[in-house]
Amino acid sequence: MNNQDLINIASEFGSPIYVYDAEKIQFQYNRLTSAFNKIENVRINYAAKALSNLSILKLFNSLGSGLDTVSIQEVKLGLKAGFEPSKIIYTPNGVSLEEIEEVTTLGVQINIDNLSILEQFGTRHPKTPVCIRINPHVMAGGNSNISVGHIDSKFGISIHQIPHLLRIVENTGMHINGIHMHTGSDILDIEVFLYASEILFETAKHFPDLDFIDFGSGFKVPYKTGDIETNIEELGEKLSEKFLGFCEEYGRELTLAFEPGKFLVSEAGKFIAKVNVIKQTTSTVFAGIDSGFNHLIRPMLYGSQHEISNISHPDGKERFYSVVGYICETDTFATNKRISEIKEGDLLSFSNAGAYCFTMASNYNSRYRPAEVLWMNGKAHLIRKREVFEDLIHNQIEIDI
Ligand SMILES: *Cc1c(COP(=O)(O)O)cnc(C)c1O
Protein backbone atom coordinates (compact mmCIF):
# COMPACT_ATOMS: atom_id res chain seq x y z
CA MET A 1 0.00 0.00 0.00
CA ASN A 2 2.06 2.97 -1.24
CA ASN A 3 1.28 6.67 -1.56
CA GLN A 4 -0.10 6.28 -5.06
CA ASP A 5 -2.48 3.54 -3.88
CA LEU A 6 -3.72 5.88 -1.14
CA ILE A 7 -4.15 8.75 -3.61
CA ASN A 8 -6.11 6.48 -5.94
CA ILE A 9 -8.33 5.32 -3.07
CA ALA A 10 -9.07 8.92 -2.06
CA SER A 11 -9.88 9.87 -5.63
CA GLU A 12 -12.18 6.86 -6.06
CA PHE A 13 -13.99 6.99 -2.69
CA GLY A 14 -13.42 10.59 -1.58
CA SER A 15 -11.85 12.06 1.53
CA PRO A 16 -11.55 11.88 4.46
CA ILE A 17 -11.17 8.13 4.47
CA TYR A 18 -9.73 5.31 6.56
CA VAL A 19 -7.63 2.68 4.77
CA TYR A 20 -6.51 -0.59 6.39
CA ASP A 21 -3.81 -2.90 5.08
CA ALA A 22 -4.84 -6.57 5.47
CA GLU A 23 -1.29 -7.78 4.96
CA LYS A 24 0.01 -5.72 7.88
CA ILE A 25 -2.74 -7.07 10.13
CA GLN A 26 -1.81 -10.61 9.17
CA PHE A 27 1.88 -9.85 9.70
CA GLN A 28 1.26 -8.61 13.25
CA TYR A 29 -0.98 -11.58 14.02
CA ASN A 30 1.68 -14.02 12.84
CA ARG A 31 4.38 -12.16 14.71
CA LEU A 32 2.48 -12.59 17.96
CA THR A 33 1.67 -16.26 17.45
CA SER A 34 5.29 -17.05 16.48
CA ALA A 35 6.56 -15.32 19.62
CA PHE A 36 4.62 -17.90 21.63
CA ASN A 37 5.26 -20.95 19.46
CA LYS A 38 6.65 -22.93 22.38
CA ILE A 39 3.16 -23.07 23.89
CA GLU A 40 0.86 -25.76 22.58
CA ASN A 41 -2.38 -23.81 23.00
CA VAL A 42 -2.21 -20.09 22.35
CA ARG A 43 -5.32 -18.03 21.80
CA ILE A 44 -5.18 -14.53 20.40
CA ASN A 45 -8.50 -12.80 21.03
CA TYR A 46 -8.53 -9.66 18.91
CA ALA A 47 -10.00 -6.74 20.93
CA ALA A 48 -12.91 -5.68 18.75
CA LYS A 49 -13.23 -2.23 20.24
CA ALA A 50 -10.04 -1.11 18.48
CA LEU A 51 -11.63 -1.49 15.04
CA SER A 52 -14.94 -3.26 14.75
CA ASN A 53 -15.83 -3.18 11.05
CA LEU A 54 -17.40 -6.53 10.10
CA SER A 55 -14.88 -7.14 7.31
CA ILE A 56 -12.01 -6.62 9.74
CA LEU A 57 -13.64 -9.08 12.15
CA LYS A 58 -14.04 -11.56 9.28
CA LEU A 59 -10.38 -11.15 8.43
CA PHE A 60 -9.42 -12.02 12.03
CA ASN A 61 -11.76 -14.99 12.01
CA SER A 62 -10.08 -16.24 8.84
CA LEU A 63 -6.67 -15.96 10.53
CA GLY A 64 -7.87 -18.26 13.32
CA SER A 65 -8.13 -15.49 15.90
CA GLY A 66 -10.66 -15.36 18.71
CA LEU A 67 -12.46 -12.18 19.68
CA ASP A 68 -12.40 -10.05 22.82
CA THR A 69 -15.59 -8.04 23.31
CA VAL A 70 -16.71 -5.48 25.86
CA SER A 71 -20.41 -5.12 25.02
CA ILE A 72 -23.23 -7.34 23.87
CA GLN A 73 -23.27 -5.37 20.63
CA GLU A 74 -19.64 -6.32 19.96
CA VAL A 75 -20.56 -9.94 20.72
CA LYS A 76 -23.34 -9.73 18.12
CA LEU A 77 -20.99 -8.18 15.57
CA GLY A 78 -18.56 -11.05 16.20
CA LEU A 79 -21.26 -13.66 15.70
CA LYS A 80 -22.40 -11.90 12.54
CA ALA A 81 -18.81 -11.95 11.27
CA GLY A 82 -18.80 -15.72 11.68
CA PHE A 83 -16.95 -16.31 14.96
CA GLU A 84 -17.92 -19.46 16.84
CA PRO A 85 -19.42 -18.38 20.20
CA SER A 86 -16.74 -20.45 21.95
CA LYS A 87 -14.08 -18.23 20.37
CA ILE A 88 -15.55 -15.05 21.80
CA ILE A 89 -14.74 -13.75 25.26
CA TYR A 90 -16.87 -11.05 26.83
CA THR A 91 -14.92 -8.79 29.19
CA PRO A 92 -17.23 -5.98 30.23
CA ASN A 93 -16.81 -3.47 33.00
CA GLY A 94 -19.71 -2.01 34.89
CA VAL A 95 -22.47 -3.61 32.81
CA SER A 96 -25.72 -4.99 34.19
CA LEU A 97 -26.34 -8.56 35.32
CA GLU A 98 -29.11 -8.68 32.70
CA GLU A 99 -26.67 -8.00 29.86
CA ILE A 100 -24.23 -10.62 31.17
CA GLU A 101 -27.04 -13.18 31.38
CA GLU A 102 -28.13 -12.37 27.84
CA VAL A 103 -24.58 -12.86 26.56
CA THR A 104 -24.45 -16.20 28.40
CA THR A 105 -27.38 -17.44 26.34
CA LEU A 106 -25.31 -16.77 23.20
CA GLY A 107 -22.73 -19.33 24.32
CA VAL A 108 -19.90 -16.85 24.80
CA GLN A 109 -17.19 -17.06 27.50
CA ILE A 110 -18.03 -14.65 30.32
CA ASN A 111 -15.40 -12.72 32.22
CA ILE A 112 -16.53 -11.08 35.46
CA ASP A 113 -14.63 -8.25 37.09
CA ASN A 114 -16.41 -7.53 40.37
CA LEU A 115 -17.51 -9.49 43.42
CA SER A 116 -21.10 -8.28 43.53
CA ILE A 117 -21.98 -9.51 40.02
CA LEU A 118 -19.87 -12.63 40.52
CA GLU A 119 -21.94 -13.60 43.56
CA GLN A 120 -25.27 -12.87 41.86
CA PHE A 121 -24.24 -14.66 38.67
CA GLY A 122 -22.80 -17.65 40.52
CA THR A 123 -25.94 -18.02 42.60
CA ARG A 124 -28.18 -18.02 39.55
CA HIS A 125 -25.93 -19.94 37.10
CA PRO A 126 -23.56 -22.14 39.09
CA LYS A 127 -22.95 -24.39 36.08
CA THR A 128 -21.84 -21.69 33.63
CA PRO A 129 -18.04 -21.50 33.51
CA VAL A 130 -16.77 -18.04 34.33
CA CYS A 131 -13.42 -16.33 33.93
CA ILE A 132 -12.44 -13.77 36.56
CA ARG A 133 -10.60 -10.57 35.94
CA ILE A 134 -7.96 -9.89 38.55
CA ASN A 135 -6.33 -6.57 39.28
CA PRO A 136 -2.74 -7.41 40.21
CA HIS A 137 -2.10 -3.78 41.23
CA VAL A 138 1.11 -3.66 39.31
CA MET A 139 2.21 -0.81 37.14
CA ALA A 140 5.43 0.51 35.77
CA GLY A 141 6.76 3.40 37.78
CA GLY A 142 9.51 4.98 35.75
CA ASN A 143 12.38 3.01 34.26
CA SER A 144 12.40 -0.43 35.79
CA ASN A 145 10.69 0.32 39.07
CA ILE A 146 7.88 -1.93 40.00
CA SER A 147 5.31 -0.15 42.03
CA VAL A 148 2.10 -1.38 43.49
CA GLY A 149 -0.33 1.07 42.10
CA HIS A 150 -3.66 1.34 40.36
CA ILE A 151 -5.30 0.72 43.71
CA ASP A 152 -8.13 2.98 42.62
CA SER A 153 -8.63 1.40 39.19
CA LYS A 154 -12.22 0.46 38.45
CA PHE A 155 -11.08 -2.65 36.56
CA GLY A 156 -10.73 -6.15 37.95
CA ILE A 157 -11.09 -7.83 41.30
CA SER A 158 -8.30 -6.74 43.63
CA ILE A 159 -5.83 -9.43 44.63
CA HIS A 160 -6.43 -8.21 48.17
CA GLN A 161 -9.98 -9.55 47.86
CA ILE A 162 -9.00 -13.13 46.96
CA PRO A 163 -10.27 -14.57 50.29
CA HIS A 164 -13.69 -13.00 49.67
CA LEU A 165 -13.62 -14.22 46.06
CA LEU A 166 -12.86 -17.77 47.19
CA ARG A 167 -15.77 -17.69 49.67
CA ILE A 168 -18.15 -16.70 46.86
CA VAL A 169 -16.88 -19.48 44.63
CA GLU A 170 -17.23 -22.02 47.41
CA ASN A 171 -20.68 -20.89 48.53
CA THR A 172 -22.14 -20.81 45.02
CA GLY A 173 -20.30 -23.89 43.76
CA MET A 174 -19.53 -22.01 40.55
CA HIS A 175 -16.91 -23.13 38.04
CA ILE A 176 -14.01 -20.76 37.41
CA ASN A 177 -12.39 -21.77 34.11
CA GLY A 178 -10.13 -18.79 33.42
CA ILE A 179 -8.04 -16.13 35.13
CA HIS A 180 -7.53 -12.81 33.40
CA MET A 181 -5.77 -9.51 33.79
CA HIS A 182 -5.64 -6.42 31.63
CA THR A 183 -4.07 -3.45 33.28
CA GLY A 184 -4.57 -1.20 30.29
CA SER A 185 -1.15 0.38 30.52
CA ASP A 186 1.53 0.08 27.89
CA ILE A 187 4.05 -2.71 28.45
CA LEU A 188 7.29 -0.81 28.26
CA ASP A 189 9.18 -2.92 30.72
CA ILE A 190 8.82 -6.65 30.26
CA GLU A 191 9.99 -7.33 33.81
CA VAL A 192 6.98 -5.44 35.15
CA PHE A 193 4.68 -7.54 33.02
CA LEU A 194 6.34 -10.75 34.16
CA TYR A 195 5.97 -9.64 37.76
CA ALA A 196 2.23 -9.15 37.21
CA SER A 197 2.03 -12.58 35.56
CA GLU A 198 3.57 -14.15 38.68
CA ILE A 199 0.70 -12.68 40.68
CA LEU A 200 -1.73 -14.18 38.18
CA PHE A 201 -0.09 -17.61 38.54
CA GLU A 202 -0.31 -17.39 42.33
CA THR A 203 -4.00 -16.57 42.00
CA ALA A 204 -4.54 -19.38 39.50
CA LYS A 205 -3.34 -21.98 42.01
CA HIS A 206 -6.55 -21.47 44.00
CA PHE A 207 -8.64 -22.77 41.08
CA PRO A 208 -8.26 -26.43 40.10
CA ASP A 209 -10.49 -26.44 36.98
CA LEU A 210 -8.91 -23.78 34.80
CA ASP A 211 -8.81 -23.99 31.01
CA PHE A 212 -6.88 -20.81 30.32
CA ILE A 213 -4.95 -17.85 31.65
CA ASP A 214 -5.51 -14.59 29.83
CA PHE A 215 -2.78 -11.96 30.02
CA GLY A 216 -4.86 -9.21 28.45
CA SER A 217 -2.95 -6.72 26.38
CA GLY A 218 -0.93 -3.55 26.65
CA PHE A 219 1.43 -4.14 23.75
CA LYS A 220 2.89 -0.81 22.80
CA VAL A 221 3.36 -0.02 19.13
CA PRO A 222 5.68 2.62 17.67
CA TYR A 223 4.07 5.90 16.63
CA LYS A 224 7.17 7.16 14.87
CA THR A 225 10.50 5.74 13.81
CA GLY A 226 12.70 5.03 16.78
CA ASP A 227 9.71 5.02 19.15
CA ILE A 228 9.82 2.59 22.04
CA GLU A 229 7.69 -0.52 21.48
CA THR A 230 7.05 -3.75 23.34
CA ASN A 231 9.63 -6.36 22.36
CA ILE A 232 7.14 -9.12 21.55
CA GLU A 233 9.80 -11.70 20.79
CA GLU A 234 11.51 -11.17 24.13
CA LEU A 235 8.18 -11.17 25.95
CA GLY A 236 7.20 -14.38 24.16
CA GLU A 237 10.37 -16.13 25.17
CA LYS A 238 10.33 -15.07 28.81
CA LEU A 239 6.61 -15.42 29.46
CA SER A 240 6.44 -18.81 27.70
CA GLU A 241 9.13 -20.13 29.99
CA LYS A 242 7.32 -18.90 33.09
CA PHE A 243 3.99 -20.16 31.77
CA LEU A 244 5.34 -23.66 31.08
CA GLY A 245 6.92 -23.69 34.53
CA PHE A 246 3.60 -22.78 36.07
CA CYS A 247 1.71 -25.42 34.04
CA GLU A 248 4.08 -28.09 35.26
CA GLU A 249 3.38 -27.11 38.83
CA TYR A 250 -0.34 -26.87 38.09
CA GLY A 251 -0.37 -30.39 36.69
CA ARG A 252 -1.44 -29.81 33.10
CA GLU A 253 -0.90 -27.42 30.23
CA LEU A 254 -3.43 -24.62 30.05
CA THR A 255 -4.24 -22.31 27.15
CA LEU A 256 -2.35 -19.03 27.13
CA ALA A 257 -4.52 -16.16 25.91
CA PHE A 258 -3.94 -12.57 24.89
CA GLU A 259 -6.35 -9.92 23.69
CA PRO A 260 -4.50 -7.22 21.79
CA GLY A 261 -6.20 -4.49 19.83
CA LYS A 262 -3.65 -1.79 19.10
CA PHE A 263 -0.81 -4.20 18.36
CA LEU A 264 -2.81 -5.94 15.65
CA VAL A 265 -4.41 -3.02 13.84
CA SER A 266 -2.87 0.34 14.80
CA GLU A 267 -0.07 0.45 12.24
CA ALA A 268 -2.24 -1.15 9.53
CA GLY A 269 -4.42 1.95 9.33
CA LYS A 270 -3.95 5.25 7.51
CA PHE A 271 -6.31 8.16 7.71
CA ILE A 272 -6.34 10.28 4.56
CA ALA A 273 -7.63 13.85 4.64
CA LYS A 274 -7.44 16.74 2.20
CA VAL A 275 -6.05 20.17 3.00
CA ASN A 276 -8.80 22.73 2.49
CA VAL A 277 -6.84 25.82 3.39
CA ILE A 278 -3.38 27.04 4.25
CA LYS A 279 -3.67 29.87 6.72
CA GLN A 280 -0.60 31.89 7.52
CA THR A 281 -0.64 34.00 10.67
CA THR A 282 2.20 36.08 12.03
CA SER A 283 3.55 33.12 14.01
CA THR A 284 2.14 29.93 12.54
CA VAL A 285 1.24 28.22 9.30
CA PHE A 286 -1.98 26.26 9.73
CA ALA A 287 -2.98 23.46 7.40
CA GLY A 288 -6.74 23.10 7.78
CA ILE A 289 -8.08 19.71 6.68
CA ASP A 290 -11.49 18.39 5.66
CA SER A 291 -11.85 16.53 8.96
CA GLY A 292 -11.47 17.05 12.69
CA PHE A 293 -11.65 15.39 16.07
CA ASN A 294 -15.07 14.11 15.07
CA HIS A 295 -13.19 11.60 12.88
CA LEU A 296 -9.94 11.14 14.77
CA ILE A 297 -10.15 12.20 18.39
CA ARG A 298 -6.99 10.61 19.81
CA PRO A 299 -4.71 13.68 19.54
CA MET A 300 -7.27 15.81 21.40
CA LEU A 301 -8.33 13.07 23.82
CA TYR A 302 -5.01 11.50 24.73
CA GLY A 303 -2.44 13.82 23.20
CA SER A 304 -1.43 10.99 20.89
CA GLN A 305 1.00 11.85 18.12
CA HIS A 306 0.08 10.51 14.72
CA GLU A 307 2.77 10.95 12.11
CA ILE A 308 1.55 13.09 9.23
CA SER A 309 2.90 13.07 5.71
CA ASN A 310 2.02 14.91 2.55
CA ILE A 311 1.35 12.09 0.11
CA SER A 312 0.53 14.42 -2.78
CA HIS A 313 3.94 16.12 -2.64
CA PRO A 314 6.17 13.92 -0.49
CA ASP A 315 9.45 15.32 -1.79
CA GLY A 316 8.90 19.04 -1.26
CA LYS A 317 10.99 21.17 1.05
CA GLU A 318 9.95 20.54 4.65
CA ARG A 319 8.24 23.35 6.52
CA PHE A 320 6.58 23.62 9.93
CA TYR A 321 2.81 23.31 10.11
CA SER A 322 0.11 23.17 12.68
CA VAL A 323 -2.40 20.70 11.31
CA VAL A 324 -5.91 21.55 12.44
CA GLY A 325 -9.44 20.32 11.81
CA TYR A 326 -12.64 22.07 10.75
CA ILE A 327 -14.53 21.58 14.04
CA CYS A 328 -15.61 24.82 15.67
CA GLU A 329 -13.55 24.46 18.81
CA THR A 330 -9.90 23.72 19.44
CA ASP A 331 -9.19 20.88 17.09
CA THR A 332 -5.48 20.27 16.71
CA PHE A 333 -3.85 17.19 15.20
CA ALA A 334 -0.29 18.44 15.51
CA THR A 335 1.57 21.64 16.27
CA ASN A 336 4.72 22.78 14.50
CA LYS A 337 5.15 19.54 12.68
CA ARG A 338 7.75 19.18 9.93
CA ILE A 339 5.90 18.22 6.72
CA SER A 340 6.83 18.50 3.03
CA GLU A 341 5.49 21.80 1.73
CA ILE A 342 1.70 21.64 1.54
CA LYS A 343 -0.48 23.17 -1.15
CA GLU A 344 -4.22 23.53 -0.79
CA GLY A 345 -5.83 20.36 -2.14
CA ASP A 346 -2.94 18.10 -1.07
CA LEU A 347 -3.72 14.85 0.69
CA LEU A 348 -2.25 14.19 4.13
CA SER A 349 -1.81 10.70 5.52
CA PHE A 350 -2.04 10.10 9.29
CA SER A 351 -0.28 6.98 10.58
CA ASN A 352 -1.37 4.54 13.30
CA ALA A 353 -4.98 5.12 12.30
CA GLY A 354 -6.14 1.53 12.65
CA ALA A 355 -6.88 1.36 16.37
CA TYR A 356 -9.34 3.55 18.27
CA CYS A 357 -9.81 5.93 15.39
CA PHE A 358 -12.88 5.09 13.34
CA THR A 359 -14.48 3.37 16.34
CA MET A 360 -14.35 6.66 18.25
CA ALA A 361 -15.66 8.77 15.36
CA SER A 362 -18.79 10.85 15.87
CA ASN A 363 -21.13 13.16 13.99
CA TYR A 364 -20.13 16.27 15.93
CA ASN A 365 -20.76 19.45 13.93
CA SER A 366 -23.26 17.33 11.98
CA ARG A 367 -20.55 15.91 9.76
CA TYR A 368 -20.70 12.50 8.16
CA ARG A 369 -18.48 9.75 9.49
CA PRO A 370 -15.88 8.76 6.88
CA ALA A 371 -15.74 5.75 4.59
CA GLU A 372 -13.48 2.77 5.31
CA VAL A 373 -11.46 0.75 2.81
CA LEU A 374 -9.66 -2.56 3.25
CA TRP A 375 -6.60 -2.95 1.03
CA MET A 376 -6.25 -6.66 0.32
CA ASN A 377 -4.42 -8.60 -2.38
CA GLY A 378 -3.47 -5.35 -4.12
CA LYS A 379 -7.06 -4.14 -4.35
CA ALA A 380 -9.16 -1.56 -2.53
CA HIS A 381 -12.41 -2.89 -1.06
CA LEU A 382 -14.92 -0.40 0.26
CA ILE A 383 -16.02 -1.83 3.64
CA ARG A 384 -18.09 1.10 4.86
CA LYS A 385 -19.80 3.81 2.87
CA ARG A 386 -19.42 7.42 3.85
CA GLU A 387 -22.52 8.60 5.66
CA VAL A 388 -25.10 10.78 3.93
CA PHE A 389 -27.54 13.40 5.20
CA GLU A 390 -30.22 10.76 5.86
CA ASP A 391 -27.90 9.08 8.40
CA LEU A 392 -27.89 12.25 10.49
CA ILE A 393 -31.65 12.35 10.84
CA HIS A 394 -32.96 8.82 10.51
CA ASN A 395 -33.45 8.27 14.26
CA GLN A 396 -34.82 11.73 14.92
CA ILE A 397 -38.50 12.28 15.47
CA GLU A 398 -39.74 15.64 14.34
CA ILE A 399 -42.61 16.83 16.47
CA ASP A 400 -44.99 19.64 15.66
CA ILE A 401 -43.83 22.83 17.33
C1 LIG B 1 -9.22 -2.40 25.24
C2 LIG B 1 -8.97 -3.73 25.76
C3 LIG B 1 -7.98 -4.53 25.19
C4 LIG B 1 -7.08 -4.08 24.06
O1 LIG B 1 -6.11 -3.17 24.46
P1 LIG B 1 -4.98 -2.67 23.43
O2 LIG B 1 -4.19 -1.68 24.19
O3 LIG B 1 -5.67 -2.07 22.26
O4 LIG B 1 -4.19 -3.84 23.01
C5 LIG B 1 -7.81 -5.80 25.71
N1 LIG B 1 -8.57 -6.25 26.73
C6 LIG B 1 -9.54 -5.51 27.29
C7 LIG B 1 -10.36 -6.07 28.40
C8 LIG B 1 -9.76 -4.23 26.84
O5 LIG B 1 -10.72 -3.49 27.42
Side-chain angles (χ1 to χ4, degrees), residues 2-7 10 272-273 309-314 339 346-349:
N2 59 31
N3 282 353
Q4 193 54 49
D5 297 327
L6 293 170
I7 291 168
I272 310 300
S309 62
N310 180 353
I311 56 173
S312 299
H313 294 101
I339 302 174
D346 281 358
L347 292 170
L348 302 186
S349 167

Side-chain angles (χ1 to χ4, degrees), residues 96-262:
S96 67
L97 180 63
E98 290 72 27
E99 181 170 315
I100 295 175
E101 288 183 322
E102 200 182 332
V103 170
T104 306
T105 66
L106 300 173
V108 166
Q109 171 73 48
I110 307 290
N111 188 352
I112 293 182
D113 96 327
N114 68 85
L115 294 176
S116 170
I117 296 281
L118 186 74
E119 185 159 31
Q120 295 174 67
F121 189 89
T123 306
R124 292 160 66 112
H125 313 275
K127 295 212 158 48
T128 305
V130 166
C131 172
I132 42 177
R133 178 171 183 170
I134 299 298
N135 182 348
H137 298 306
V138 172
M139 65 176 188
N143 303 326
S144 61
N145 296 332
I146 293 173
S147 61
V148 178
H150 278 318
I151 205 84
D152 55 354
S153 163
K154 71 166 184 157
F155 298 104
I157 298 167
S158 167
I159 42 160
H160 305 303
Q161 293 176 310
I162 297 292
H164 188 178
L165 168 64
L166 292 174
R167 272 202 306 281
I168 291 174
V169 172
E170 193 179 309
N171 292 343
T172 57
M174 67 193 301
H175 171 194
I176 302 300
N177 72 336
I179 302 278
H180 168 276
M181 70 168 182
H182 172 69
T183 61
S185 43
D186 285 337
I187 305 171
L188 299 176
D189 187 330
I190 287 173
E191 297 307 320
V192 177
F193 192 80
L194 293 174
Y195 179 73
S197 69
E198 294 288 352
I199 293 175
L200 216 56
F201 295 143
E202 281 310 309
T203 310
K205 289 177 187 163
H206 294 291
F207 303 94
D209 300 319
L210 294 179
D211 297 322
F212 65 93
I213 299 187
D214 187 331
F215 295 89
S217 181
F219 302 114
K220 165 118 182 58
V221 296
Y223 275 68
K224 51 180 186 287
T225 30
D227 219 357
I228 184 162
E229 64 177 304
T230 307
N231 185 333
I232 296 292
E233 291 70 25
E234 185 188 344
L235 179 72
E237 198 159 308
K238 292 186 170 167
L239 183 62
S240 297
E241 194 185 317
K242 284 197 188 292
F243 185 77
L244 291 173
F246 163 77
C247 290
E248 206 169 298
E249 206 179 320
Y250 190 75
R252 67 204 151 81
E253 201 177 320
L254 302 178
T255 295
L256 183 156
F258 274 112
E259 47 190 37
K262 207 183 280 172

